[in-house]
Amino acid sequence: MKSGLQARKNVIHKKGGPLTKEQTMNAKNLFVLTPNQEAYQKMLHDALRDKIPHPETGIPMRSFVEIRDATLTEINFDKKKLDKVIEAFAELEASIRASGTGQISTEKLAELFLAFEELRKEIEGLLKNPYFDIRKYNEARTIANALGMSGLGIAEEFGGDGATACYNIIGGEEVSAIDPALALAFGAANTLAMKPIELFAPQELKEKWLPRMVSGELTGCYCQTTPRAGSDVANTEGRATQDANGNWLVSKPCSFITGGRLANVGLVLVRTPVAPDDPRRNDSHYGLTMFLVDMDRARREGTFIFHRDEHKAGLHMSLTSAIEFVSAVADGILGTLHEGWKVAMYILAASRAKAISPQAIGTGEGVSELAHNYAEQRTQFGLKLNEMPTERERLLKIDAGVNMSRFLAWRAALLLDEIGGLDSRPWQMEASCAKLVSSEMAEWAPSEAMQLMGGTGYIMDAKVAKFWQDGRVIKIYEGTSGVQCIIIMRGLLERLGRKNLGLLGHPAFKYSFATRQATAYQLARDWPVSSSGWPTEEEEFSSEMHRAYDHCPELQIAYHKLREYRYAFLVGLGKTLQDFPPDPKGVTFPSPYFKFAYAFALLEGAKLALWELAFLTNQKNEAPETSDTARAETALGLAKKELRYAEDYREDLALFPALRKKIETEGKLKP
């Protein structure tokens, strides 16, 4: 295990390895892997598909691919237990025959009963969770630990490799392209448990827990969701109080906890008592505290309850547990008392950038490979599928979605590495754009691949159906697509600023239609909403595009189209501000804003796809491949399609009073 980790450290820390402050925010690091990143990607890609020796026995283990395929074909059932019952019945029959009386001894009856009871429990467990197999999971975990993935991005002083967030993206995507469930299981333990401990825990807790977690001896889980509070994090049922000795006692029912049954360490977000005279006591985000709980101790003391593992539609090799803490003694606090909201928001934003987005991207990459291979082999009406225009368009759409998602995730990760600190607000909008676009893609890309493959795609052996099942939930957890739209729209309005919002059409300001159009045109050209951590982003993008025109005239057309769509977006946003003014104190937005938020995220993805094409064109100093140009143009088309849908939706609500009343006002509680 140590040798595998050291080998990967050697790969990561060669010249050209981890990004430094001097080389982070530029187009080259956004679109081109460093030599070390390429080496790491290849090493991981090959290692996950080959048999590697067990770190202790030296015996070759099944590869990740073999373990994944076994989960599709092998039932999680211990046949030895069934054989034991059959043998017991055979012995019983022989005993009865030998006795000549037709009777059975009490000892034999007890032995038979025990064997049958063991089988009954096995069958009950199978019915509750028919897919998860702890043996296959442990096989995969051993491989991941041997490759050092458990310590990915953790500081070297605790046994990790000190790699940047970009390496998390590479690792997450490579695992997810084989099995998104395993990518979730390992990614959650790293980004939702280990990394927060490194960033927010006091030194003694870091030294106590991180080395054992990095080595793979222990694993952790993140306990935020409760039966009552999913997206509404501040409404948690969790509470903590202090006993006479000053210990914090944590009580909380927890739902949908990744790896909850197996975890040794839990990060638990709960309410803590706020003093009556505290001026912030009415702030719903204040008074939340993130505690670290020793779950093994809680088990020993009877303050941890395991309720069940959920039987899910997908992600079968990742446990999702319902658990509960009942006055469990906390081992310490992450961050400061009452300020757990900031810790939680950082954890989620960072995970969206470097764990969940790569899981979605890997899902898309996995189905893209399956779909391309099938389209190359399958013949109908005398043509291969990849010779049919409608199927080529389908493949191009999948590839464009994966490409956009990857660049959005890389941009967010680069910003995370560049800005650092413990405040996610400067880059959380970019993280949400990555999560929104990639998780939506993880739903529609497997569906498109399945449609291309026809009935074969619906058969589990074809594996596309597995990605279809696994990909659907990504747009739900760690912030639903709706939550991402709220974060994006809030960030967008903040970056546009009060003056520009007024000029675009905010009802608090009275400007002429011509003024609003002129403002939208100017903003579409300047695009002041680019990432605050990369102030020259738009300028560099524009310069790169113009330099590529000679070799790729299509880029000039695409750039003008992008600015045209940006103008239409801003005009549409201005009309939305007029027709559906948001409540400044509201927790959400009228429904048209959600459509425009998604359109904005896709416009950002299309920008990055065009930028990559221009960058590579300028690097090679020659015309790009037709397939590369078509992929970038398809990304722009996806953004245009969503923008038009947003505009049509806003117009329908504005035109039809009954529709608007039903969606926007009916059923609202009166103050």
Side-chain angles (χ1 to χ4, degrees), residues 8-20 23-24 26-46 152 162-171 173-174 406 410 413-414 417:
R8 195 169 62 74
K9 280 185 181 179
N10 293 339
V11 170
I12 290 175
H13 286 287
K14 286 179 181 176
K15 186 178 180 181
L19 300 171
T20 65
Q23 66 175 142
T24 48
N26 58 55
K28 183 177 180 181
N29 285 313
L30 182 58
F31 301 123
V32 181
L33 296 180
T34 66
N36 255 19
Q37 289 167 347
E38 278 190 340
Y40 174 53
Q41 184 181 51
K42 185 179 186 308
M43 181 273 289
L44 200 58
H45 183 276
D46 295 343
L152 189 58
T164 60
C166 296
Y167 282 91
N168 288 91
I169 292 182
I170 295 172
E173 184 177 334
E174 287 296 329
R406 180 177 291 122
W410 270 84
L414 285 168
D417 289 334

Side-chain angles (χ1 to χ4, degrees), residues 175-187:
V175 175
S176 190
I178 299 174
D179 192 334
L182 292 173
L184 172 65
F186 303 145

Side-chain angles (χ1 to χ4, degrees), residues 173 357 360-365 367-368 372 393-409 433-446 448 598 601-602 604-606 608-609 630-639:
E173 184 177 334
S357 294
I361 296 163
T363 300
E365 188 64 45
V367 298
S368 174
H372 277 281
E393 186 271 337
R394 199 185 303 277
L395 291 168
L396 199 56
K397 179 182 176 183
I398 295 172
D399 293 344
V402 172
N403 214 41
M404 295 166 72
S405 301
R406 180 177 291 122
F407 295 140
L408 287 168
C433 283
K435 205 272 187 181
L436 176 61
V437 172
S438 64
S439 63
E440 291 289 332
M441 178 275 297
E443 178 187 22
W444 61 253
E448 291 285 357
Y598 186 33
L602 286 171
E604 287 293 279
L608 296 179
R631 186 177 60 203
E633 291 168 346
T634 300
L636 188 60
L638 291 172

Side-chain angles (χ1 to χ4, degrees), residues 211-271:
R212 298 171 69 192
M213 296 176 79
V214 167
S215 71
E217 177 189 350
L218 303 179
T219 187
C221 66
Y222 180 65
C223 305
Q224 174 180 291
T225 303
T226 68
R228 191 176 68 194
S231 298
D232 186 7
V233 178
N235 196 33
T236 180
E237 296 102 300
R239 297 291 185 270
T241 57
Q242 278 186 297
D243 64 13
N245 298 318
N247 297 313
W248 283 100
L249 305 180
V250 176
S251 297
K252 182 176 183 177
C254 303
S255 304
F256 310 129
I257 307 304
T258 300
R261 169 159 67 91
L262 302 177
N264 312 97
V265 179
L267 304 190
V268 191
L269 184 68
V270 295
R271 283 269 169 208

Side-chain angles (χ1 to χ4, degrees), residues 63-123:
S63 70
F64 253 52
V65 173
E66 290 173 319
I67 294 170
R68 185 270 315 275
D69 291 348
T71 66
L72 302 178
T73 57
E74 297 177 6
I75 298 176
N76 173 23
F77 185 77
D78 192 345
K79 189 174 179 297
K80 291 180 181 179
K81 293 181 180 177
L82 177 60
D83 290 340
K84 187 175 179 180
V85 173
I86 293 173
E87 289 173 9
F89 271 110
E91 288 181 16
L92 171 64
E93 183 181 7
S95 236
I96 293 173
R97 289 180 184 279
S99 70
T101 63
Q103 295 182 346
I104 179 174
S105 69
T106 304
E107 291 78 9
K108 282 288 181 184
L109 188 61
E111 184 180 331
L112 177 65
F113 176 80
L114 288 174
F116 185 77
E117 182 65 13
E118 192 173 354
L119 179 66
R120 184 187 66 78
K121 290 179 180 179
E122 178 80 1
I123 293 173

